[in-house]
Amino acid sequence: MAQKHRHPVIDWNRMTDRQRQMKARAENLTAQIALDQHREHDRANKTLFASLESVLAQLAGTPKAEEFFRLFSETATQANAKRIANHPDCPDVVRDEIAQRIETAGAIRGNERIARAALGKTDHAGEG
């Protein structure tokens, strides 16, 4: 059995001027809600950051400090992980883990270059 043709819930092509104005107001309200939530999120982040130094001081020399720096470094890009390793409160064991991660990534990239060279491919687009 064939289904009956159903009209869309809102036919955007058949809106009156008043309906277009209502739609514009709704879009503006939605944008304002998003902006308000973004500002609140930024304020919360700034509040956390303001407490960061005192938290790090309390964690210094504890296993929680290692866990803290390890979590941040594991989720960071390689460049940011290097910066985390340079933080004065970063435990040596985490610095070593970051150095190992960077060394491993470099070795992998080197092996990929060697494999491409063996196949006659180059690193540069437009060459070969």
Side-chain angles (χ1 to χ4, degrees):
M1 183 170 150
Q3 286 189 345
K4 295 180 183 178
H5 176 70
R6 293 183 181 232
H7 292 283
V9 176
I10 297 175
D11 188 346
W12 301 107
N13 296 320
R14 299 184 67 200
M15 291 194 320
T16 65
D17 286 340
R18 181 174 175 273
Q19 290 169 335
R20 282 188 190 87
Q21 289 172 350
M22 289 170 52
K23 180 178 179 270
R25 281 195 305 270
E27 290 169 347
N28 287 337
L29 287 171
T30 302
Q32 187 61 48
I33 290 168
L35 187 59
D36 288 347
Q37 289 179 350
H38 179 75
R39 285 182 185 141
E40 186 61 31
H41 181 77
D42 279 350
R43 281 193 291 267
N45 279 343
K46 288 177 183 177
T47 301
L48 286 171
F49 186 73
S51 301
L52 185 61
E53 288 299 321
S54 62
V55 168
L56 289 175
Q58 288 178 8
L59 293 177
T62 68
K64 286 184 179 183
E66 285 182 23
E67 184 179 353
F68 178 89
F69 279 96
R70 186 173 288 121
L71 285 171
F72 274 92
S73 67
E74 286 174 352
T75 59
T77 63
Q78 191 169 329
N80 285 341
K82 286 181 186 179
R83 291 181 185 104
I84 290 169
N86 287 330
H87 191 281
D89 294 329
C90 185
D92 289 337
V93 66
V94 177
R95 279 192 181 106
D96 294 343
E97 291 169 3
I98 293 169
Q100 181 62 42
R101 172 182 159 195
I102 292 167
E103 184 178 314
T104 301
I108 291 170
R109 281 194 302 275
N111 290 338
E112 288 172 352
R113 284 188 197 112
I114 292 169
R116 279 194 298 270
L119 294 172
K121 297 181 180 179
T122 65
D123 287 344
H124 304 289
E127 289 185 15

